């Protein structure tokens, strides 16, 4: 197992600042898309809806 030394990557503060800035830019871009009406439903929401529909249908079949 190898560990990266301090010379292998930039300082943690700079790396974290870059991550925060990228995250902010992604959020800004998403807000802009939503304002234009280009929003999409996240995949996990669609999967949850499908599970609830199938579960309700099965409950009706087996509990009726």
């Amino acid at each position: 197992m190898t560990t990266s030394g301090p010379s292998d990557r930039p300082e943690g503060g700079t790396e974290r600042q870059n991550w925060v800035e990228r995250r902010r830019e992604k959020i800004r871009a998403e807000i802009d898309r939503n304002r234009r009406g280009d929003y999409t439903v996240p995949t996990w929401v669609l999967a949850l809806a499908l599970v609830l529909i199938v579960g309700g249908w099965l409950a009706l079949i087996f509990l009726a």
Side-chain angles (χ1 to χ4, degrees), residues 26 29-47:
K26 287 171 92 175
E30 182 177 358
I31 290 170
D32 288 341
R33 281 193 309 273
N34 291 345
R35 286 182 178 164
R36 287 192 311 262
D38 296 341
Y39 61 89
T40 57
V41 179
T43 305
W44 67 268
V45 173
L46 295 174

Side-chain angles (χ1 to χ4, degrees), residues 14-56:
T14 305
E15 184 177 319
R16 177 148 179 87
Q17 184 179 7
N18 291 338
W19 177 83
V20 169
E21 192 57 39
R22 285 193 313 267
R23 180 73 179 143
R24 285 182 183 158
E25 184 56 38
K26 287 171 92 175
I27 291 169
R28 284 187 199 113
E30 182 177 358
I31 290 170
D32 288 341
R33 281 193 309 273
N34 291 345
R35 286 182 178 164
R36 287 192 311 262
D38 296 341
Y39 61 89
T40 57
V41 179
T43 305
W44 67 268
V45 173
L46 295 174
L48 179 63
L50 178 62
V51 168
L52 290 175
I53 291 169
V54 171

